Amino acid sequence: MADPMQDAPILQDRLPHLPWVDPRTRRLPGILPVEGRDWLRIDEAYAPQMALRDRLIAARAPVVHALLPEARPAADELYEAVLDWLREAPGFTVSATSVTRPDGVTVPLDPTQPLLTLGRLVQEDLCLMEARGEEYVLTGGILCFPASWSLTQKLGRPMTSIHEPVPVYDADIAKRVARLFDAIRPEQALWRMNYLTYDDFVLHQPRVEGDKRPQPTDHVFIRCERQCLLRLPVTRAVVFTIHTYVVDAASVTPEELSALREAVH
């Protein structure tokens, strides 16, 4: 999959966790508690991932960003929560008007565009889920590194609609995840991690329903998303964070790669 925005791999050295090996994370939903402030992360791919995010936000903002008007209070609350996190994070300098990132880039703070601003500060993609009746609806997001889905297509839809094309996301899983969302407390974020193999390294891979990603044949790269669920205390929105890892398949042992290929196919 060629993309003029990214002409070379942006890789982490290794995966921090092998979710297909750990029995706690191997099966859906595979949820574990987040320890401390670990709902956001800075890793060795920060600088090149952020440079790509800058390019995507500048050139493709209508594709990577969406926010329903009623979700603005949640976006504002998330904006402040992330800035609070950055004030204590090594390598960041936060002032009243800007943030200087660990890669030396200074990003102006624009509270009128909370998600677009956050998209240039952290590696995570950030999605807002808010309760509407018995379901949680996607009300906004900054999604620079989608893995075969479209933010604009899914906006305003409940979780069950968001995940309809995924065969393993059945009705039972949907009910369990809805109950899980209801139980999330502001003081205890949760995380899970998915896993797939790819033949290409492109991070920005939006697709609409029915547009299938090419099935890998050589399994050159492993792509994992560390996804965190965080309850905002005031608006009660649930933040869904996505930290994307892409590593060379050779970074795991042959036995681990064999187990991964068996797990995903």
Side-chain angles (χ1 to χ4, degrees), residues 135 159-160 168-180:
E135 298 218 68
M159 283 195 66
T160 47
V168 296
Y169 197 90
D170 59 20
D172 180 58
I173 291 284
K175 291 177 182 176
R176 286 164 58 194
V177 172
R179 288 197 299 269
L180 175 70

Side-chain angles (χ1 to χ4, degrees), residues 32-42 77-86 118 122-128 186-192 226-233 238-243 245:
L32 293 170
V34 168
E35 296 185 8
R37 291 166 30 88
D38 199 25
W39 60 282
L40 297 174
R41 285 185 170 181
I42 309 297
E77 187 179 6
L78 175 59
Y79 178 81
E80 294 299 335
V82 173
L83 290 182
D84 284 345
W85 191 95
L86 294 178
L118 296 182
V122 296
Q123 287 174 264
E124 282 78 8
D125 286 318
L126 304 166
C127 296
L128 293 168
E187 65 273 16
Q188 181 58 74
L190 305 172
W191 73 274
R192 65 178 297 272
R226 183 179 185 267
Q227 304 167 346
C228 293
L229 298 167
L230 176 78
R231 172 83 67 188
L232 296 175
V238 172
V239 181
F240 180 60
T241 76
I242 307 166
H243 190 112
Y245 295 88

Side-chain angles (χ1 to χ4, degrees), residues 1 25 36 54 66 79 91 95 100 113 115 120 170 178 202 218 224 232 236 244 247 253 258:
M1 177 180 175
T25 53
D54 289 344
Y79 178 81
S95 75
T100 301
Q113 295 288 349
L115 297 184
R120 298 193 57 207
D170 59 20
V202 175
D218 298 324
C224 292
L232 296 175
R236 306 296 295 174
T244 300
V247 299
T253 68
S258 176

Side-chain angles (χ1 to χ4, degrees), residues 37-253:
R37 291 166 30 88
D38 199 25
W39 60 282
L40 297 174
R41 285 185 170 181
I42 309 297
D43 65 32
E44 67 273 20
Y46 181 87
Q49 279 199 1
M50 296 312 298
L52 176 56
R53 296 177 73 85
D54 289 344
R55 295 194 295 273
L56 288 165
I57 289 170
R60 301 179 183 172
V63 175
V64 302
H65 171 262
L67 183 64
L68 294 177
E70 60 268 29
R72 181 57 190 271
D76 290 342
E77 187 179 6
L78 175 59
Y79 178 81
E80 294 299 335
V82 173
L83 290 182
D84 284 345
W85 191 95
L86 294 178
R87 288 185 182 98
E88 298 184 32
F92 289 88
T93 302
V94 182
S95 75
T97 58
S98 67
V99 174
T100 301
R101 306 187 313 210
D103 59 354
V105 174
T106 296
V107 177
L109 289 178
D110 183 358
T112 70
Q113 295 288 349
L115 297 184
L116 284 170
T117 302
L118 296 182
R120 298 193 57 207
L121 295 176
V122 296
Q123 287 174 264
E124 282 78 8
D125 286 318
L126 304 166
C127 296
L128 293 168
M129 308 291 299
E130 297 188 73
R132 298 290 185 268
E134 296 182 354
E135 298 218 68
Y136 280 80
V137 171
L138 177 66
T139 57
I142 181 75
L143 183 71
C144 292
F145 302 155
S148 298
W149 65 286
S150 163
L151 176 63
T152 53
Q153 184 183 47
K154 303 298 188 180
L155 188 71
R157 295 171 62 173
M159 283 195 66
T160 47
S161 296
I162 291 172
H163 289 279
E164 266 177 4
V166 182
V168 296
Y169 197 90
D170 59 20
D172 180 58
I173 291 284
K175 291 177 182 176
R176 286 164 58 194
V177 172
R179 288 197 299 269
L180 175 70
F181 269 48
D182 285 337
I184 296 170
R185 308 187 314 276
E187 65 273 16
Q188 181 58 74
L190 305 172
W191 73 274
R192 65 178 297 272
M193 200 164 181
N194 64 13
Y195 46 88
L196 286 171
T197 59
Y198 280 73
D199 285 340
D200 68 272
F201 54 73
V202 175
L203 283 159
H204 179 70
Q205 297 206 27
R207 291 183 176 87
V208 297
E209 287 181 24
D211 181 12
K212 304 295 184 183
R213 79 177 181 103
Q215 289 302 300
T217 56
D218 298 324
H219 307 277
V220 180
F221 301 101
I222 302 169
R223 178 169 176 151
C224 292
E225 295 178 341
R226 183 179 185 267
Q227 304 167 346
C228 293
L229 298 167
L230 176 78
R231 172 83 67 188
L232 296 175
V234 178
T235 60
R236 306 296 295 174
V238 172
V239 181
F240 180 60
T241 76
I242 307 166
H243 190 112
T244 300
Y245 295 88
V246 179
V247 299
D248 192 310
S251 66
V252 302
T253 68

